[in-house]
Amino acid sequence: MAKPQPSWALGASEQDAPASPRTMRTLRKIQSHQVLSTSSALIAQTQSTRQVGSSGAGSEPAANPGATTRTRGHRRARSNSDAAAREAAATQPATQRRPARKTGSGIGVKRSLLDVLLRDGPQSANLHEGLRELKYLVLSSRVDADGDGMSPYRIYLWLILLDVPAMPTDDYLALIHRGRSPAYAKIRNDTFRTLATDPLFKRRVTEASLIRLLNAVAWKLHDSRPKPRSRPTSSRRREMELLVNTPPSIIEESTFGGELDKVNNVTTADSPMYVQGMNVLCAPFLYAARSEVEAFALFHYFVTRECPGYIRGAMDGVHKGLRLVDRCLEIVEPKLAAYLFSKGMHAELYAFPSVLTLCACTPPLPEVLHLWDFLFAYGPHLNILCIVAQLIRMRDQIFESPSPNKILRSFPPLDAKEIIALTVLLVRKIPEDLYAEMINHAK
């Protein structure tokens, strides 16, 4: 058997012959082994050089610097995306390097009192005192947020203030997987117009997420409706025939009569699954939340517990709120109210969107979020006085205009700090009976 010749001893024809796949795999394995071996040797050499350099300042350089240069050629080249930064870091003196910035709750990070209270909880075991302190901090100091109104803990503040329990994600997904609700067509007619001129909202919230959330709320409201009772069976009709000669009072106290009255009452007080304007009321929840589940839990709780009258029937709660705007304005600013009434300008003509959406229809959105911090802390009913406060801040423009309708057609941009400060002053001027109506007008 002939001894195999090395590659340099083969002829030209044999060198030009293509290598077999097995030979190529063997060559790749050998090359990979050489690269790994070279990298390991380079790492070991670098570590030994650092150790020698740290032992004394007069250490000698490596005996063969060319070997190091050759071994570096086998290393895998990195991308040039951070080449400039690495070169600058290498040339920058050690004395000018900035210390590593600490994040989270470490030393050197300034945290507000509101942030500390939310993270650590109240110092005492009294939850009522802790909640009172939390509300006071919301009033005295604004929630820390960036220029877009985003805060890392605002959504948790809302969940605490509204006392919304945690919701499993699977429950929300089950509502999504049910498909289109009976109110889907109405929802699609409104979602594309939701805060259409607000670039912050359009950049963060998609129309698809808004449709999913409103459709899930519609399914939830649909499921909460009582199912209509079936007609009495033949045996039940016979029992009713036996009661023909029975006094009416006894018939009314029967089980069937009570159930019929209950069904009739529910039918008259039944609420739709979606009304126009719910899309705008839902928008700040989606903008501030970290997930659709959080936004859904907050929004569903709000429309069913805090302001069910806003979405019931003909929006009776909204119309009550509009009448309260006129009455409160007449008490705190009688001259301004008289001027508007003389021009035929009642709140129903200009304040309907502001009452229904808790001023979310008035930009900018970051100021809306700050205003909602205050409303959720001390009650959404104070939105009535927030609208009155906006009218008072527009007082000079309204008096100078012969047609206030043009001015009130669109309110000026919100200034949450000024509106909240003025609202706190207006609360003292409202009689107790009128204030009680404000609290219950949306129920």
Side-chain angles (χ1 to χ4, degrees), residues 78 154 270 355:
R78 297 182 60 182
R154 167 174 278 130
D270 195 12
V355 173

Side-chain angles (χ1 to χ4, degrees), residues 1 4 24 36 55 68 84 88 94 117 134 153 185 217 220 234 241 262 266 328 354 405-406 408 421 436 441:
M1 182 176 179
M24 294 301 297
L36 292 176
S55 61
T68 306
L117 182 59
L134 184 64
Y153 60 85
V217 171
K220 197 75 173 179
S234 58
E241 291 174 358
K262 189 183 299 183
V266 171
C328 293
S354 298
N405 184 25
K406 296 181 180 180
L408 298 178
H441 82 278

Side-chain angles (χ1 to χ4, degrees), residues 239-267:
E239 294 179 4
M240 296 299 295
E241 291 174 358
L242 296 176
L243 295 175
V244 171
N245 298 325
T246 308
S249 59
I250 299 179
I251 297 179
E252 292 176 357
E253 294 176 357
S254 63
T255 305
F256 177 76
E259 291 179 352
L260 183 60
D261 294 339
K262 189 183 299 183
V263 172
N264 290 335
N265 290 335
V266 171
T267 302

Side-chain angles (χ1 to χ4, degrees), residues 218-235:
W219 275 124
K220 197 75 173 179
L221 296 176
H222 177 270
D223 295 341
S224 63
R225 287 180 170 184
K227 297 181 180 180
R229 301 287 181 177
S230 58
R231 293 184 177 181
T233 59
S234 58
S235 59

Side-chain angles (χ1 to χ4, degrees), residues 8-20:
W8 51 267
L10 297 177
S13 59
E14 294 178 346
Q15 289 182 2
D16 296 337
S20 64

Side-chain angles (χ1 to χ4, degrees), residues 366-378:
E367 295 297 314
V368 173
L369 301 180
H370 284 298
L371 184 63
W372 278 27
D373 296 337
F374 167 71
L375 293 179
F376 293 163
Y378 291 93

Side-chain angles (χ1 to χ4, degrees), residues 60-219:
E60 296 181 359
N64 189 6
T68 306
T69 305
R70 287 194 301 270
T71 53
R72 287 178 181 173
H74 294 284
R75 298 183 65 185
R76 182 178 176 181
R78 297 182 60 182
S79 63
N80 295 326
S81 60
D82 58 343
R86 287 186 283 108
E87 292 177 0
T91 58
Q92 187 176 5
T95 56
Q96 298 181 2
R97 292 180 181 176
R98 295 181 180 179
R101 184 179 180 182
K102 296 184 178 181
T103 58
S105 58
I107 302 175
V109 178
K110 186 178 180 180
R111 292 165 54 186
S112 63
L113 295 177
L114 186 59
D115 187 9
V116 173
L117 182 59
L118 282 173
R119 289 176 179 269
D120 303 336
Q123 296 180 357
S124 62
N126 193 338
L127 296 180
H128 295 285
E129 292 294 334
L131 185 60
R132 185 181 303 175
E133 181 182 0
L134 184 64
K135 293 180 178 180
Y136 175 76
L137 290 176
V138 171
L139 179 62
S140 60
S141 61
R142 289 163 64 101
V143 174
D144 293 334
D146 57 15
D148 295 343
M150 300 308 300
S151 172
Y153 60 85
R154 167 174 278 130
I155 194 65
Y156 306 111
L157 174 67
W158 290 2
L159 290 169
I160 293 173
L161 293 175
L162 294 178
D163 194 18
V164 179
M167 177 182 179
T169 305
D170 293 340
D171 294 350
Y172 178 69
L173 293 177
L175 295 172
I176 297 299
H177 293 158
R178 291 173 65 175
R180 299 181 179 183
S181 68
Y184 181 80
K186 295 182 179 179
I187 294 173
R188 288 302 304 270
N189 289 335
D190 290 342
T191 50
F192 71 94
R193 293 192 293 260
T194 305
L195 304 183
T197 59
D198 196 322
L200 295 179
F201 180 78
K202 289 297 182 182
R203 187 170 62 212
R204 181 172 176 83
V205 181
T206 63
E207 184 184 1
S209 62
L210 189 61
I211 293 172
R212 284 194 299 266
L213 195 148
L214 291 173
N215 192 70
V217 171
W219 275 124

